[in-house]
Amino acid sequence: MEIKTIHELEKQAFKKSHAEIGRIGAALFFLAAVLVFSFTTSGGVPNNLFLAIAAVFGAYMAMNIGANDVANNVGPAVGSRAMTMGGAIVIAMIFEASGAFIAGGDVVSTIKGGIIDIQGFGGNTDEFVWAMMAALLAAAMWLNLATYAGAPVSTTHSIVGGVMGAGIAAAGFTIVDWGTMGAIVSSWVISPLFGGVIAATFLLAIKKTIIFRDDKISASYKWVPVYVGVMAWAFATYLIIKGISKIWSKIIELVNFLPGVEIEVASKPSFLSALIIGLLIGLAVYKLVKKRLKKKLPEMSNDRGSVNTLFTIPLVFAAALLSFAHGANDVANAIGPLAAINDAIMTGGITAQAGIPFWVMAVGALGIALGLGLYGPRLIRTVGGEITELDQMRAYSIAMAAALTVIIASQLGLPVSTTHIAIGGVFGVGFLREWLDESNTIEREIRKDKSDLKDEKKQLNALRKELDSLQNKGSKSVDEYQRVTTLYRLIDEEESAIKKAKKQLKKEQKNLFVKRDMVKKIITAWVVTVPAAAVLSAMVFYMIKGIML
């Protein structure tokens, strides 16, 4: 029996290692293809080797964005079982790449977030190229480490830290816009707080209007179309603002070809236009859902599980739209510095904005999709189930938090991170569950057991101290020998009681709705992302500079 078990373990280990080798092989093949393509297509350009290496760094960064950041878009849907892992990865890969190719823009800011002044390089193109290469590699390395540790972090903050560190290494601390950095630091608080509050608010509203009602069928017929319609409005507005704003002028030009239509062409949609279009889409979805529910509700059971299923299809659309918007926006984290390097090498100058050649966009889009397919499941599981248990209603609330927070923040001019918003939403629904359910009792029991454990340890230490004192005494009376024997017995009993209390405490902590260890790990990763990427970037910059000089 034992030999059979060992053989089975060996088979599983071999299968796992074989799959890991396959993933590494696919990633290396992609990097090698990018290196060969970029080197052979820029053969007549001076410093084309730098461009080829930078392209590899950009591809590596893009894969790490896919592996880490995309989990926030599909993790709640997978965790709630609205989508399978395989289905979520396929949908996210398609929409991430589509967002990057279709709405990624023709021009990208060379310095992410405007955190350093390009004038600080004094026109030294070589140092600028080295700094951007260092920023890409350092940000990718940090994301790789965070993904391995199972911590979802902001890819935007990673590249911001990389650019800042390389900029300081190249031109000193004066090159950094510390006001902008202060705004980025503030997003560490703003993003999860907004995400958590909005997600908890929506979940509480669903519970009060549907779940806590005796007749859940009638309540669902009344309120589910409202919630799905609001979701459609929010996501349409979100997509227009964040997903297709870069191709808005082209869309208007196409519309103007229709007979009798003439709309003034604008570079990007106004907030009011986005709201109105989103509202029209939301009303259409409301009517459609209402019509479908009329047929479906008579077949449903009057329980929570049936209500949950009504949010499944909206969650699939939410995951797809979030992925599209993410691909359109966050591909710039990988290709921004790469586009800057390409522009600097091709023109010999340094600019605040650079055009994006198709091959550079392809590196970003395909890299994100490949990274998600190869290494995305690790973080998807973390976001979807290792922080708190999710169902479709909770996942819906998190998706709403992601869309609404970006809409509100964009109008208030507040810096936010979509990663922090999504994770904040997960925290929000988890803590709401604790507040609503019996978790207050669990919290009190944990505090009481911790206090009892502390007292037990104090008593044990006192007994050990008394025992040591008696043992160190030269001659002992009969009573003292008896006391030593008693102390040994009491110490054994105290150690057994402490062991039992620790086991009970561990069991109670597992019953908490939000895993505290995960909260601590994720927040720590958030706080250290910018400085860690900055230090790594400065080290890489000095290494490149040392090789070249």
Side-chain angles (χ1 to χ4, degrees):
M1 187 67 181
E2 287 182 3
I3 294 172
K4 189 177 179 182
T5 304
I6 292 169
H7 181 64
E8 191 63 34
L9 288 171
E10 285 177 345
K11 274 178 66 178
Q12 292 297 325
F14 178 76
K15 189 177 178 181
K16 190 174 181 181
S17 63
H18 191 69
E20 185 62 30
I21 291 169
R23 284 193 290 267
I24 293 171
L28 289 176
F29 179 80
F30 176 67
L31 295 178
V34 169
L35 177 67
V36 171
F37 178 84
S38 56
F39 185 73
T40 54
T41 55
S42 59
V45 180
N47 292 327
N48 68 319
L49 180 60
F50 272 114
L51 181 57
I53 295 172
V56 172
F57 291 172
Y60 179 42
M61 176 65 176
M63 284 196 294
N64 279 289
I65 291 173
N68 192 291
D69 216 24
V70 181
N72 305 307
N73 303 328
V74 299
V78 173
S80 66
R81 295 178 178 80
M83 303 171 72
T84 63
M85 178 69 78
I89 288 174
V90 169
I91 288 173
M93 286 175 71
I94 292 169
F95 281 88
E96 284 281 339
S98 299
F101 277 121
I102 296 170
D106 300 320
V107 176
V108 69
S109 172
T110 58
I111 305 297
K112 184 68 183 179
I115 57 161
I116 64 172
D117 181 7
I118 59 173
Q119 302 302 322
F121 289 97
N124 189 330
T125 306
D126 286 343
E127 288 211 345
F128 177 73
V129 169
W130 301 340
M132 293 300 101
M133 289 176 69
L136 270 177
L137 182 58
M141 288 168 65
W142 170 250
L143 281 173
N144 203 160
L145 181 63
T147 304
Y148 179 77
V153 296
S154 170
T155 56
T156 300
H157 289 179
S158 299
I159 196 65
V160 161
V163 169
M164 183 183 75
I168 291 172
F173 286 91
T174 55
I175 198 172
V176 178
D177 184 341
W178 293 105
T180 302
M181 283 305 304
I184 289 169
V185 170
S186 71
S187 76
W188 297 345
V189 177
I190 295 169
S191 300
L193 188 61
F194 268 49
V197 169
I198 292 174
T201 300
F202 269 94
L203 182 58
L204 183 61
I206 292 171
K207 284 179 177 292
K208 284 186 173 294
T209 55
I210 301 175
I211 301 303
F212 294 163
R213 299 297 176 93
D214 293 331
D215 188 355
K216 294 178 178 58
I217 301 290
S218 298
S220 296
Y221 181 69
K222 180 181 179 180
W223 286 104
V224 168
V226 173
Y227 290 125
V228 178
V230 169
M231 185 182 209
W233 163 77
F235 271 90
T237 306
Y238 172 84
L239 196 63
I240 292 167
I241 293 173
K242 298 294 287 183
I244 61 175
S245 62
K246 293 171 185 175
I247 56 169
W248 181 254
S249 58
K250 295 175 184 176
I251 293 172
I252 298 299
E253 287 172 6
L254 286 173
V255 172
N256 282 338
F257 275 112
L258 296 173
V261 177
E262 189 171 343
I263 304 171
E264 186 179 345
V265 178
S267 59
K268 62 179 183 178
S270 66
F271 180 62
L272 183 60
S273 300
L275 276 178
I276 292 171
I277 295 171
L279 181 61
L280 293 173
I281 293 172
L283 288 172
V285 169
Y286 169 83
K287 289 183 178 179
L288 179 65
V289 173
K290 194 90 171 174
K291 189 177 179 181
R292 287 179 63 86
L293 279 183
K294 199 168 186 178
K295 297 177 182 177
K296 186 175 182 178
L297 286 177
E299 305 168 5
M300 286 175 50
S301 303
N302 188 37
D303 56 31
R304 181 192 177 99
S306 294
V307 176
N308 254 321
T309 60
L310 301 177
F311 290 92
T312 298
I313 294 175
L315 278 173
V316 175
F317 278 99
L321 295 176
L322 281 170
S323 296
F324 184 90
H326 181 269
N329 285 274
D330 280 33
V331 69
N333 292 331
I335 66 170
L338 178 56
I341 293 166
N342 178 73
D343 189 71
I345 289 175
M346 293 297 182
T347 65
I350 304 172
T351 58
Q353 287 193 322
I356 308 174
F358 181 80
W359 74 268
V360 171
M361 181 62 78
V363 166
L366 297 178
I368 289 175
L370 184 63
L372 169 64
L374 295 177
Y375 293 103
R378 185 185 186 94
L379 265 294
I380 290 173
R381 290 189 193 97
T382 297
V383 175
E386 292 180 10
I387 300 171
T388 191
E389 185 183 342
L390 297 177
D391 59 17
Q392 288 96 318
M393 288 181 290
R394 295 165 198 155
Y396 162 86
S397 302
I398 295 163
M400 286 300 302
L404 286 178
T405 302
V406 171
I407 293 170
I408 294 167
S410 66
Q411 295 313 299
L412 297 178
L414 298 173
V416 291
S417 161
T418 51
T419 299
H420 295 185
I421 294 166
I423 301 301
V426 176
F427 290 162
V429 299
F431 286 123
L432 177 68
R433 291 174 64 209
E434 289 191 1
W435 181 65
L436 289 175
D437 295 299
E438 79 272 6
S439 60
N440 287 331
T441 307
I442 295 173
E443 288 275 24
R444 282 196 297 271
E445 286 175 358
I446 287 173
R447 283 196 294 269
K448 182 179 179 299
D449 284 349
K450 280 184 177 178
S451 178
D452 291 345
L453 187 60
K454 195 174 179 181
D455 292 340
E456 295 278 4
K457 285 180 178 178
K458 281 182 181 177
Q459 192 171 342
L460 178 62
N461 290 334
L463 291 171
R464 282 176 173 166
K465 193 173 180 182
E466 184 183 351
L467 179 62
D468 289 341
S469 176
L470 284 172
Q471 285 180 330
N472 291 331
K473 191 175 179 181
S475 58
K476 302 180 186 70
S477 65
V478 174
D479 289 341
E480 285 172 335
Y481 274 115
Q482 288 177 343
R483 179 58 181 167
V484 168
T485 304
T486 303
L487 285 172
Y488 273 117
R489 180 177 55 78
L490 291 173
I491 286 170
D492 284 341
E493 287 174 358
E494 284 297 327
E495 285 177 342
S496 177
I498 287 172
K499 191 175 180 181
K500 200 172 183 180
K502 282 182 177 179
K503 192 175 180 181
Q504 179 64 24
L505 184 61
K506 193 173 181 181
K507 185 179 177 182
E508 286 170 352
Q509 285 176 327
K510 281 184 179 179
N511 291 330
L512 285 170
F513 289 111
V514 180
K515 306 299 185 290
R516 299 312 196 255
D517 289 343
M518 284 300 301
V519 174
K520 290 174 187 174
K521 182 169 81 170
I522 290 170
I523 291 176
T524 301
W526 287 355
V527 172
V528 302
T529 288
V530 171
V535 171
L536 272 173
S537 184
M539 292 168 63
V540 173
F541 175 82
Y542 284 128
M543 184 179 70
I544 295 172
K545 188 174 181 180
I547 293 170
M548 298 307 300
L549 296 179

